[in-house]
């Protein structure tokens, strides 16, 4: 993973802690971890943003699904202690007709069980598009989760540009206004990482279909504003755009670095 990231000019990346559809994680290899950390150091990587499998649902109506998500998250966080100081991002969950209030309550219960004082990985709630019964479709819902968790020093937020756009926030036309609202409702100090994705759909569509940077409804000017925004400077920014291979992300990284340096659009 680290070698691939270096080869495309990245200084952060996301990775799944196990097969994204769930299942068992492989044994950790101490030599491999040491080589991985050495490569990150050598190439000045910032924090990485591990992603939990999509199958975890802390607020399922099925107790066995909730139990699995809690156990698997604890296990993932124990494994991430081998890479201290990075992030673990997850989708808060889908309440499947139990209602958002019950969803928030179950997610808080789950996090209160999963988070361990002293753990060295900050857990990031992802902003969601509001597809189906997803919890985390508004800054208010994320704030309610954070409020309900005991060790909230271990909690942050990962803002996905496609998801917030699809949820209705105008990151294309009013980035500063969206960040003001984030700050008022959650607090900008909670914002620890971004997922940079354009969206195939109009604002407020609640669809969650990612598009390549500059080729969707959010548009290139918005991403220029994101990478130039002083309030977002220094945060890890991860691409989750649909590509056929590494070359596509290499191109987007170069494009975004160019925009950050003042090239291209106004
Ligand atoms: Fe995600
Ligand atoms: Fe995302
Ligand atoms: Zn998405």
């Amino acid at each position: 993973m680290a070698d691939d990231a270096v080869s495309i000019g990245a200084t952060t990346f996301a990775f799944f802690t196990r097969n994204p559809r769930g299942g068992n994680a492989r044994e950790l290899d101490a030599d491999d971890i040491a080589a991985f950390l050495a490569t990150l150091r050598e190439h000045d990587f910032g924090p990485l943003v591990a992603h939990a499998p999509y199958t975890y649902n802390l607020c399922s109506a099925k107790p066995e699904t909730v139990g699995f998500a809690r156990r698997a998250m604890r296990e993932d966080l124990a494994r991430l202690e081998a890479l201290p100081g990075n992030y673990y991002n997850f989708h808060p969950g889908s309440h499947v007709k139990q209602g958002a209030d019950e969803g928030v309550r179950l997610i808080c219960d789950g996090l209160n069980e999963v988070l361990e004082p002293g753990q060295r990985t900050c857990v990031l709630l992802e902003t969601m598009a509001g597809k189906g019964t997803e919890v985390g479709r508004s800054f208010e819902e994320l704030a309610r989760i954070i409020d309900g968790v005991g060790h909230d020093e271990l909690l942050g937020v990962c803002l996905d540009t496609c998801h917030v756009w699809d949820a209705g926030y105008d990151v294309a036309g009013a980035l500063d206004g969206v960040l003001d609202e984030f700050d008022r409702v959650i607090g900008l100090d909670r914002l620890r990482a971004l997922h940079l994705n354009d969206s195939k759909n109009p604002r407020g569509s609640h669809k969650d279909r990612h598009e390549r940077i500059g080729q969707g409804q959010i548009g290139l000017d918005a991403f220029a504003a994101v990478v130039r925004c002083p309030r977002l400077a220094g945060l890890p920014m991860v691409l989750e755009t649909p590509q056929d291979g590494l070359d596509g992300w290499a191109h987007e990284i170069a494009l975004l670095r160019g925009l950050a340096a003042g090239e291209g659009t106004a």
Side-chain angles (χ1 to χ4, degrees), residues 16 51-52 54 89-91 126-128 158 160 163 195 197 208 210 240:
F16 284 108
H51 200 301
Y54 303 129
N89 131 242
F90 80 109
H91 295 180
E126 184 163 347
T127 59
M128 301 310 292
C158 174
D160 185 311
H163 295 178
H195 288 168
N197 304 301
D208 189 6
H210 301 187
E240 299 176 309

Side-chain angles (χ1 to χ4, degrees), residues 139 143 146 156-157 179-192:
F139 298 159
I146 294 167
V157 173
L179 294 178
D180 286 345
E181 189 168 345
F182 188 104
D183 193 33
R184 183 176 56 78
V185 177
I186 300 177
L188 261 186
D189 54 323
R190 294 275 182 195
L191 182 57
R192 300 300 176 79

Side-chain angles (χ1 to χ4, degrees), residues 165-183:
W165 171 261
D166 282 25
Y169 294 95
D170 190 6
V171 281
L175 177 66
D176 265 314
V178 173
L179 294 178
D180 286 345
E181 189 168 345
F182 188 104
D183 193 33

Side-chain angles (χ1 to χ4, degrees), residues 144-166:
R144 286 171 59 204
I145 295 170
I146 294 167
D147 282 347
V149 174
H151 286 284
D152 72 335
E153 76 280 6
L154 301 171
L155 269 188
V157 173
C158 174
L159 186 148
D160 185 311
T161 54
C162 169
H163 295 178
V164 294
W165 171 261
D166 282 25

